[in-house]
Every structure is written in structure tokens, then in C-alpha cells.
Amino acid sequence: RKPKELRKLVQEHREAATEASGSAGSRASAVEFPVQVEDLTQTPRVQGEVEEKARIALNDAIVSVRSVAESRLPADLLWQDVEAALLKLGSAEEVNVARQSLDDFLASLSTHRGEVGLTWAIARLQAVVECMLPPGVKWQELETILVEQNSVHAIMAAMRSPEELVSSL
């Protein structure tokens, strides 16, 4: 149930308890509940429902961006790379802001910090390096190493000199 509904139920129970205690001639004070309404919204079940709704909203927002963005992407960009960066934004609100100014968002991805920047830098590097990999080396293996390094700067250096990265494998 929603917090407002829970508050209303708690208030109704308190009023009923107060009326019952008043009519029975006992104390006129309200019955105290050991759990606050805010505590009820923090239960794992409620938190799971909130997280699920947020995930659905995020996915819906990404679908709406795709309908606008996919046909406008430069030839060297894949939708899956943009989608991965959008997922790292983490909220439907942020994705909707990106949708409203898609060109600015795409241009800003190379300067993003944290997971968004790392995801984007790895995607850009893949476009350059994957076709250069020696036989037997899979992009997924290199990607795992890059994620573990967690360094946008190292990835950008590899972008400037992809041959050096490939020769070090």
C-alpha cells in the first residue's frame, strides 16, 4: 500500500482505539503503535515494489529515447552503447532529460564521470579496437579487464593509441 493509505489506516485504528477506550471508561489517551508509518514503507516488500516501479519507469523512458534517437545516431554509434549509458544514469527522470536534449547528452557522454563515463568510454573503445584484436582474444575478455581497471583516463589513452593497447595483449 502507498504511504498515504497506510497513514490513513493507522489514523483510523488510532481513532477507533481512542473511541473504544473512551467508551469503556478507561484511559482517554490514544493507543501507541510500536511501528511508525514511515517504518512500514521501509519493509523489504515495499522497497522491492518501489524498486520494481522505478526499474519499469527507467525502461519505459529508455524505450521512448530509442524511438527518437536510434535514427539520429552517428554511423559509428550503436544503440546498445547509448542504452548502456542511459541505464547507468539510473532514473527515468535523468533519461527523460537526456531525451529532451539528445544531441547535448550524446556530446556530454565523453565527459561524464563514474559508471556512465566508464560505460561510454568502453563502448567507444570497442568500436575502434574490436576489429584489431588478435585471434583468440575476445572483446568480452578485454572489456572485463577495462571495467576492473575502472579508469576512464586509461581507456581514453587507449583510444588515442589503440595499436599500443592491442599489441600489449
Side-chain angles (χ1 to χ4, degrees), residues 50-51 53-59 61-62 83-96 105 112 115-116:
V50 169
E51 289 169 5
K53 287 180 182 178
R55 187 190 61 74
I56 290 169
L58 176 62
N59 286 337
I62 289 173
E83 182 179 35
L86 290 169
L87 281 167
K88 296 293 181 183
L89 287 176
S91 77
E93 293 80 21
E94 290 179 279
V95 171
N96 286 326
F105 172 72
H112 264 271
E115 287 186 68
V116 174

Side-chain angles (χ1 to χ4, degrees), residues 2 14-15 26 39 47 51 55 66-67 74 80 86 88 94 99 109 111 115 120 123-125 128 142:
K2 295 180 181 178
R14 285 183 176 160
E15 289 170 2
S26 60
D39 295 338
Q47 285 179 334
E51 289 169 5
R55 187 190 61 74
R66 183 176 189 168
S67 67
Q80 66 194 35
L86 290 169
K88 296 293 181 183
E94 290 179 279
R99 180 179 187 247
L109 282 171
T111 60
E115 287 186 68
W120 186 250
R124 302 305 298 142
L125 183 63
V128 174
L142 181 56

Side-chain angles (χ1 to χ4, degrees), residues 8-99:
K8 184 177 177 184
L9 283 173
V10 168
Q11 185 61 34
E12 288 172 359
H13 285 282
R14 285 183 176 160
E15 289 170 2
T18 301
E19 288 175 15
S21 65
S23 64
S26 60
R27 296 183 295 170
S29 64
V31 174
E32 291 298 319
F33 288 88
V35 177
Q36 297 295 320
V37 173
E38 291 76 19
D39 295 338
L40 294 174
T41 64
Q42 299 304 312
T43 64
R45 183 177 147 269
V46 173
Q47 285 179 334
E49 289 174 6
V50 169
E51 289 169 5
E52 178 67 11
K53 287 180 182 178
R55 187 190 61 74
I56 290 169
L58 176 62
N59 286 337
D60 288 348
I62 289 173
V63 167
S64 75
V65 171
R66 183 176 189 168
S67 67
V68 172
E70 198 166 25
S71 63
R72 294 177 36 202
L73 292 178
D76 64 334
L77 283 181
L78 298 174
W79 166 251
Q80 66 194 35
D81 300 332
V82 175
E83 182 179 35
L86 290 169
L87 281 167
K88 296 293 181 183
L89 287 176
S91 77
E93 293 80 21
E94 290 179 279
V95 171
N96 286 326
V97 168
R99 180 179 187 247

Side-chain angles (χ1 to χ4, degrees), residues 148-164:
E148 287 173 1
Q149 282 183 344
N150 194 23
S151 172
V152 174
H153 296 295
I155 295 168
M156 298 312 285
M159 284 288 290
R160 288 188 293 277
S161 179
E163 296 84 8
E164 189 176 316

